[in-house]
Amino acid sequence: MGFEQITTEVAERVLTITLNRPERLNAWTATMGRELIEAFDRADGDDEVGAIIVTGAGRGFCAGADLAAGGETFDWRKRAAAGSVPRDNGGQFTLRVFASTKPVIAAINGPAVGVGATMTLPMDVRLAAEEARIGFVFARRGIVPEACSSWFLPRVVGISRAVEWVATGRVFGAQEALEAGLVRSLHPAGELLDAARALAREIVENTAPVSVALARQMMWRMLGAGHPMLAHRADSRGIFHRGQSADAVEGVSSFLEKRPARFTDRVSDGLPDVMPGWSEPEFE
């Protein structure tokens, strides 16, 4: 089944998801959000996908929410069931990225504003074009940050920088994003995707997919842990389960034999529960 507002391509075990509304600078819509979630669902079930890149078509990454509805853009009363608050679909997407079993790389090829910036925060690595511009502009539109960014952004860049960017709502350049640690590296526009793909290939060609999936989940979940003992418990369970695996035998054997490893365990067969009792809170 095809998509309307994104495209997907798998090559060398890397899935590239491209936001595909270039005539609108890839502005976010509810349709785009649903399609992105479906693409991540498919990726988690596909053992031929070892890493994911998200980028934008044309000269923009994502210009934020589509404002075609004018002043009613953010009035969600028509979406609300009686007595309830409707869910922010940007947050539904970032929660899906948070739960991903595949590492995710953002290739920010141009303007990334509003949800175009917040949607990248749960992605594991962000690379940007030298000309990219980024902005958390919500207060300038009379709203507040969304897509769970009040949780993610301070953890990525620290509370002081996060509040500064949100309180001013200013759009800033890629160099400032690099200095703050929001992005990992800057690249000429024509070289950005190649750099993202090189990083993705380094992952898929050298590491055990089940180990990467577990490690990714452990680290993201531990950002909210109250004591390192919780990490010690998860680490111990992880080593216990993975130490018995065919991948662990292959990892050591290939190292001793000085040859590339051939990992055979599959993410689709399920991951060991290294954090018993952990569950995603309900939306209330």
Side-chain angles (χ1 to χ4, degrees):
M1 181 171 57
F3 294 114
E4 294 178 29
Q5 297 185 4
I6 66 172
T7 64
T8 60
E9 179 186 10
V10 179
E12 299 180 296
R13 298 192 59 228
V14 178
L15 167 64
T16 301
I17 300 174
T18 304
L19 312 182
N20 192 32
R21 301 184 72 216
E23 75 286 353
R24 300 285 294 174
L25 286 179
N26 304 315
W28 177 278
T29 69
T31 297
M32 180 181 287
R34 288 191 298 269
E35 292 183 351
L36 284 166
I37 290 170
E38 182 176 346
F40 271 76
D41 287 344
R42 294 185 192 181
D44 268 2
D46 187 351
D47 290 311
E48 291 305 307
V49 173
I52 301 170
I53 296 171
V54 180
T55 193
R59 64 185 183 87
F61 179 75
C62 175
D66 192 315
L67 303 180
E72 296 182 357
T73 297
F74 301 111
D75 188 343
W76 290 357
R77 284 175 292 185
K78 293 179 181 178
R79 292 171 45 188
S84 70
V85 173
R87 294 186 66 173
D88 158 42
N89 60 8
Q92 289 175 300
F93 173 62
T94 56
L95 287 169
R96 182 63 188 83
V97 177
F98 178 83
S100 174
T101 60
K102 311 297 170 74
V104 186
I105 300 167
I108 303 172
N109 56 299
V113 178
V115 68
T118 58
M119 69 181 290
T120 72
L121 297 177
M123 299 179 189
D124 303 296
V125 185
R126 285 163 296 279
L127 286 65
E130 293 170 338
E131 300 82 6
R133 304 273 294 168
I134 298 168
F136 300 90
V137 298
F138 308 97
R140 295 194 180 200
R141 304 294 176 264
I143 57 171
V144 297
E146 37 59 276
C148 308
S149 56
S150 58
W151 193 90
F152 286 111
L153 185 58
R155 286 168 168 78
V156 174
V157 301
I159 186 65
S160 180
R161 185 74 67 126
V163 172
E164 176 194 339
W165 282 345
V166 168
T168 64
R170 62 185 171 82
V171 176
F172 52 90
Q175 185 62 39
E176 182 173 342
L178 177 67
E179 292 168 356
L182 180 63
V183 300
R184 170 255 207 188
S185 54
L186 304 183
H187 305 269
E191 299 175 12
L192 175 65
L193 263 182
D194 286 343
R197 287 168 179 151
L199 177 58
R201 286 196 302 272
E202 184 177 1
I203 295 170
V204 301
E205 292 173 2
N206 295 288
T207 59
V210 172
S211 296
V212 172
L214 275 177
R216 183 186 190 278
Q217 290 188 349
M218 290 161 63
M219 286 192 282
W220 277 110
R221 292 175 183 180
M222 282 301 156
L223 288 178
H227 193 281
M229 177 57 76
L230 300 178
H232 178 53
R233 293 172 184 168
D235 298 347
S236 298
R237 290 187 178 95
I239 292 292
F240 177 73
H241 287 292
R242 292 300 289 153
Q244 305 170 46
S245 70
D247 280 354
V249 174
E250 173 64 7
V252 173
S253 298
S254 62
F255 174 76
L256 295 176
E257 295 167 12
K258 297 180 173 55
R259 60 171 175 79
R262 296 180 294 273
F263 296 113
T264 56
D265 290 346
R266 302 188 305 175
V267 173
S268 64
D269 289 334
L271 304 179
D273 185 4
V274 300
M275 298 179 67
W278 188 92
S279 62
E280 182 176 303
E282 295 291 328
F283 180 81
E284 297 177 356

